């Protein structure tokens, strides 16, 4: 079994997919940076940024539903920002008595909380569009183009290449455990043994996964040697930068820059 | 069965202020660049495929969970075991690879926040693991029990200290007040760390039985490790002391900012590093207890380490 479902790339024939990966990579980072720098409570800017990312989602053919569903998974972290509603002092919005304590929510606190949640939601959508519309080798090229050291890029490439193989191994280990140690099928039923015993089994599985990885890397090394590996990590030269790519990059950066200036000028 | 994208340690975009993100990006980039140089210099060409495949194994190993109770499960994060198997420099590269691919492909942690996540997991996680591991390993003097005790402690400390770093970053960004973020993150990860510790020991037990040569028991430490050891000690102490302090006196962060003259520049949103926290009438004894617990554990560990060192030196002199 091969775990292609892990790969978030979705093939579509869209202008977003066809765009140079370097342009997409830089624009995604610029979009996230813009969202991060946008002042608290600059609602029109947030709405414009949301309009931009929604249009890109529609243009890419991925569909808004797909991106929103995936972005919802990453949003549980928002709980971490919830306390600011009550800890920032300002105009009282409502009070919430909990036992002996009284929590006072402020308008300023709520504005900050909503801003953080929006920034996070916008950023994760941009990252999802990048990952879903760009093949990993192209992403790797983009990273090399922005100056990631070659050894690190080679690590990313190797990890990606063997990720699916090792996830397969891990799933085989889990299937073997499920078959042998009596996993309960009803909800709430305990699987066998004490917690320490279960932890030891899981640990043994992790150990054997690492051992298999060590042994596999020996075989990979020998295979690389037989193909002329001499310790130097080599990669294909980057493809030339087209005029269309340059234009989209400049237009995208200029637009995000304008949005940012607009936001800081009026709400900063 | 599927890879779960939500881990409390990976900070998404939007939660850190731009300044905190960029400063941590710079620190992480310098650390990773240095680690890359060291790996390139010290280790053979065989290391490249090994690191890549182990990064994949750590990613896949995060799927191997075990149920603890009531729907929660323990699973592996990997900084400690990578440090034990590969040494500190290669472990930094492996963890950098894992955390970056998680952020880039699976949106597990943000891209602008990636610098902070790398700092927490690849730099702090590895340095603290290495510090704990080598300290106790020396005391065990190559005996096998050392590997297991140390594996558990290294895993636990690396996760708890890394989570304190994450909590402080959130507090500095004004996203989550220190007296809530520190005990909450610390408390959750003190539990998660137990799971990590148990799995790490299980994995080390297996490897000790199957391939003891991989664990380098009793071998001399690689050159330059003293710097990592010191770095781990310093990071652990600073974070363990600073976060309860920040938590007990949340206004302390603001005081520091004032002393540094940050507040003058903090008027614009671009430099809004430290916002105003005020805690009207919240007397959180439960949180204070958790913080006291963290401090207690750190003190106990320090005392134990000191006593053990004294014990160790006596026969040699």
């Amino acid at each position: 079994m091969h775990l292609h479902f892990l790969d978030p790339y979705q093939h579509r024939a869209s202008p977003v997919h066809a765009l140079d990966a370097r342009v997409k990579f830089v624009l995604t980072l610029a979009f996230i940076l813009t969202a991060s720098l946008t002042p608290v409570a600059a609602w029109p800017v947030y709405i414009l940024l949301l309009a931009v990312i929604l249009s890109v989602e529609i243009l890419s053919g991925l569909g808004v539903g797909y991106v929103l569903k995936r972005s919802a998974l990453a949003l549980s972290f928002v709980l971490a920002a919830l306390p600011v509603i009550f800890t920032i002092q300002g105009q009282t919005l409502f009070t919430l008595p909990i036992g002996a304590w009284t929590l006072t929510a402020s308008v300023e606190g709520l504005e900050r909380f909503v801003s953080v949640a929006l920034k996070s939601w916008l950023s994760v959508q941009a990252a999802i569009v990048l990952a879903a519309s760009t093949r990993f080798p192209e992403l790797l090229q983009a990273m090399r183009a922005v100056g990631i050291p070659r050894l690190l890029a080679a690590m990313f490439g190797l990890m990606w290449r063997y990720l699916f193989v090792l996830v397969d191994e891990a799933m085989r280990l889990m299937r073997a455990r499920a078959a042998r140690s009596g996993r309960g099928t009803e909800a709430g039923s305990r699987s066998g043994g004490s917690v320490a015993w279960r932890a030891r089994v899981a640990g043994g599985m992790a150990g054997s996964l690492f051992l298999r990885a060590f042994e596999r890397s020996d075989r990979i090394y020998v295979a690389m040697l037989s193909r002329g590996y001499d310790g130097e990590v080599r990669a294909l030269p980057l493809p030339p930068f087209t005029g269309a790519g340059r234009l989209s990059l400049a237009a995208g950066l200029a637009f995000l820059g304008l949005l940012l200036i607009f936001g800081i000028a009026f709400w900063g | 069965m599927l890879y779960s994208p939500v881990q409390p340690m990976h900070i998404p975009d939007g939660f850190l202020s731009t300044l905190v993100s960029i400063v941590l990006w710079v620190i992480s980039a310098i650390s990773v660049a240095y680690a890359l140089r060291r790996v390139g210099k010290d280790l053979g060409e065989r290391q490249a495929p090994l690191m890549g495949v182990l990064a994949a194994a750590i990613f896949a190993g995060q799927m191997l969970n075990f149920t603890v109770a009531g729907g929660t499960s323990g699973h592996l994060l990997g900084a400690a075991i990578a440090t034990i198997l590969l040494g500190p420099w290669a472990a930094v590269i492996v963890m950098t690879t894992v955390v970056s691919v998680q952020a880039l492909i699976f949106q597990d942690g943000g891209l602008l926040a990636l610098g902070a996540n790398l700092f927490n997991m690849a730099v702090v996680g590895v340095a603290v693991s290495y510090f704990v591991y080598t300290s106790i390993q020396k005391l065990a003097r190559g005996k096998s029990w050392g590997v297991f005790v140390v594996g558990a402690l290294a895993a636990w400390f690396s996760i708890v200290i890394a989570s304190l770093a994450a909590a402080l970053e959130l507090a500095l960004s004004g996203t989550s007040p220190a007296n809530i973020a520190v005990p909450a993150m610390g408390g959750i990860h003190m539990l998660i760390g137990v799971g990590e510790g148990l799995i790490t020991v299980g994995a080390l037990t297996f490897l000790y039985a199957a391939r003891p040569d991989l664990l380098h028991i009793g071998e001399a430490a690689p050159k330059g490790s003293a710097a990592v050891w010191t770095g781990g000690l310093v990071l652990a102490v600073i974070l363990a002391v600073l976060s309860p302090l920040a938590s007990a006196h949340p206004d302390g962060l603001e005081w520091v900012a004032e002393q540094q003259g940050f507040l003058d520049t903090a008027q614009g949103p671009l430099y809004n590093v430290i916002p105003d926290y005020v805690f009207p009438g919240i007397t959180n004894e439960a949180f204070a207890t958790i913080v006291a617990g963290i401090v207690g554990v750190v003190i106990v560990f320090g005392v134990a380490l000191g006593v053990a060192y004294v014990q160790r030196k006596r026969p040699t002199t």
Side-chain angles (χ1 to χ4, degrees):
Chain A
M1 183 170 62
H2 290 285
L3 287 162
H4 293 304
F5 63 81
L6 262 184
D7 189 350
Y9 176 74
Q10 306 270 318
H11 188 70
R12 303 276 190 285
S14 85
V16 177
H17 285 67
L19 192 62
D20 193 314
R22 288 165 285 188
V23 175
K24 261 187 281 187
F25 187 68
V26 172
L27 284 181
T28 305
L29 290 181
F31 182 87
I32 293 173
L33 188 64
T34 308
S36 175
L37 286 172
T38 302
V40 170
W43 310 124
V45 180
Y46 289 112
I47 290 170
L48 284 172
L49 285 171
L50 184 62
V52 169
I53 195 68
L54 287 177
S55 332
V56 173
E57 281 158 25
I58 293 164
L59 195 65
S60 68
L62 293 167
V64 174
Y66 168 83
V67 179
L68 292 192
K69 217 161 49 186
R70 290 208 48 181
S71 70
L73 282 176
L75 274 187
S76 61
F77 205 89
V78 118
L79 276 178
L82 207 55
V84 293
I85 300 180
F86 304 104
T87 55
I88 291 184
Q89 237 182 7
Q91 200 190 332
T92 305
L93 191 65
F94 61 88
T95 51
L96 198 66
I98 303 176
W101 306 333
T102 317
L103 294 177
T104 311
S106 67
V107 176
E108 285 79 2
L110 188 66
E111 281 180 343
R112 177 173 274 277
F113 172 73
V114 174
S115 301
V116 165
L118 275 177
K119 281 172 199 237
S120 172
W121 187 49
L122 289 167
S123 305
V124 81
Q125 288 189 61
I128 290 169
V129 171
L130 176 70
S133 72
T134 319
R135 287 193 180 88
F136 191 79
E138 292 172 0
L139 215 50
L140 214 52
Q141 261 181 5
M143 285 188 276
R144 275 176 49 217
V146 299
I148 284 183
R150 212 191 283 166
L151 181 60
L152 201 56
M155 286 300 108
F156 289 2
L158 272 166
M159 173 178 172
W160 185 250
R161 167 66 184 80
Y162 290 101
L163 186 59
F164 303 91
V165 178
L166 284 162
V167 168
D168 264 2
E169 294 260 22
M171 289 182 65
R172 274 200 292 277
L173 285 165
M174 288 199 287
R175 203 155 54 233
R177 176 178 64 175
R180 286 170 184 78
S181 65
R183 193 178 62 165
T185 43
E186 308 99 70
S189 73
R190 274 186 39 185
S191 33
S194 64
V195 172
W197 181 83
R198 287 200 294 273
R200 245 197 83 184
V201 170
M205 289 158 70
S208 94
L209 187 70
F210 284 123
L211 190 56
R212 289 180 198 189
F214 264 101
E215 284 166 356
R216 187 178 288 277
S217 83
D218 279 344
R219 296 205 298 278
I220 295 165
Y221 174 66
V222 173
M224 282 163 77
L225 277 186
S226 73
R227 290 170 178 81
Y229 176 64
D230 57 1
E232 185 71 18
V233 179
R234 293 186 175 79
L236 287 172
L238 297 166
F241 215 32
T242 59
R246 246 183 233 131
L247 192 69
S248 344
L249 183 63
L253 288 179
F255 181 67
L256 289 172
L258 275 178
L259 267 186
L260 193 57
I261 291 167
F262 176 62
I264 290 174
F266 284 87
W267 290 274
Chain B
M1 176 177 99
L2 272 177
Y3 173 70
S4 145
V6 182
Q7 290 178 1
M9 188 87 90
H10 295 63
I11 304 172
D13 280 324
F15 287 86
L16 295 179
S17 72
T18 315
L19 188 63
V20 170
S21 309
I22 288 174
V23 166
L24 288 169
W25 250 119
V26 172
I27 295 175
S28 300
I30 293 170
S31 314
V32 172
Y34 187 69
L36 275 170
R37 259 190 52 199
R38 292 299 307 251
V39 167
K41 216 190 284 172
D42 297 355
L43 304 167
E45 53 190 36
R46 196 175 264 268
Q47 210 72 18
L50 178 59
M51 289 192 298
V53 176
L54 264 192
I58 284 178
F59 185 98
Q62 295 181 344
M63 299 172 68
L64 302 175
N65 55 359
F66 65 98
T67 50
V68 177
T72 56
S73 63
H75 70 163
L76 194 72
L77 290 172
I81 198 147
T83 312
I84 294 170
L85 291 176
L86 293 173
W89 305 116
V92 169
I93 307 300
V94 166
M95 288 312 288
T96 300
T97 308
V98 173
V99 174
S100 306
V101 169
Q102 282 174 334
L104 209 57
I105 305 298
F106 302 103
Q107 287 79 50
D108 194 2
L111 294 177
L112 193 61
L114 180 58
N117 287 327
L118 287 178
F119 178 75
N120 300 343
M121 284 175 271
V123 179
V124 173
V126 169
V128 170
S129 296
Y130 187 75
F131 158 68
V132 175
Y133 182 67
T134 47
S135 309
I136 306 189
Q137 182 78 307
K138 270 185 201 140
L139 304 176
R141 276 184 253 150
K143 291 197 189 74
S144 61
W145 62 264
V147 181
F148 307 125
V149 174
V150 174
L153 283 177
W156 193 83
F157 273 97
S158 70
I159 284 192
V160 173
I161 301 283
S163 76
L164 292 181
L168 275 185
E169 286 152 17
L170 288 172
L172 272 173
S173 301
T175 314
S176 200
N179 69 347
I180 293 173
V182 170
M185 288 289 270
I188 291 169
H189 285 90
M190 281 162 86
L191 294 176
I192 292 179
V194 172
E196 168 94 0
L198 287 171
I199 294 197
T200 304
V201 172
L204 289 174
T205 315
F206 177 88
L207 288 172
Y208 187 73
R211 285 277 303 273
D213 56 306
L214 292 178
L215 298 177
H216 316 289
I217 297 165
E219 279 177 30
K223 239 174 41 181
S225 322
V228 188
W229 189 87
T230 318
L233 173 67
V234 170
L235 282 171
V237 169
I238 287 180
L239 287 168
V241 171
L242 201 65
S243 45
L245 269 184
S247 177
H249 308 282
D251 295 338
L253 281 179
E254 192 161 300
W255 182 82
V256 171
E258 222 161 345
Q259 295 302 305
Q260 301 293 325
F262 274 161
L263 276 193
D264 297 330
T265 50
Q267 301 306 326
L270 282 178
Y271 307 101
N272 201 350
V273 197
I274 290 111
D276 290 324
Y277 312 126
V278 180
F279 304 89
I282 298 179
T283 49
N284 40 12
E285 283 169 25
F287 293 147
T289 315
I290 296 171
V291 171
I294 297 174
V295 178
V297 166
V298 170
I299 291 173
V300 167
F301 181 72
V303 171
L305 201 65
V307 170
Y309 257 110
V310 173
Q311 289 284 1
R312 176 178 165 264
K313 280 199 178 134
R314 203 167 285 158
T316 52
T317 47

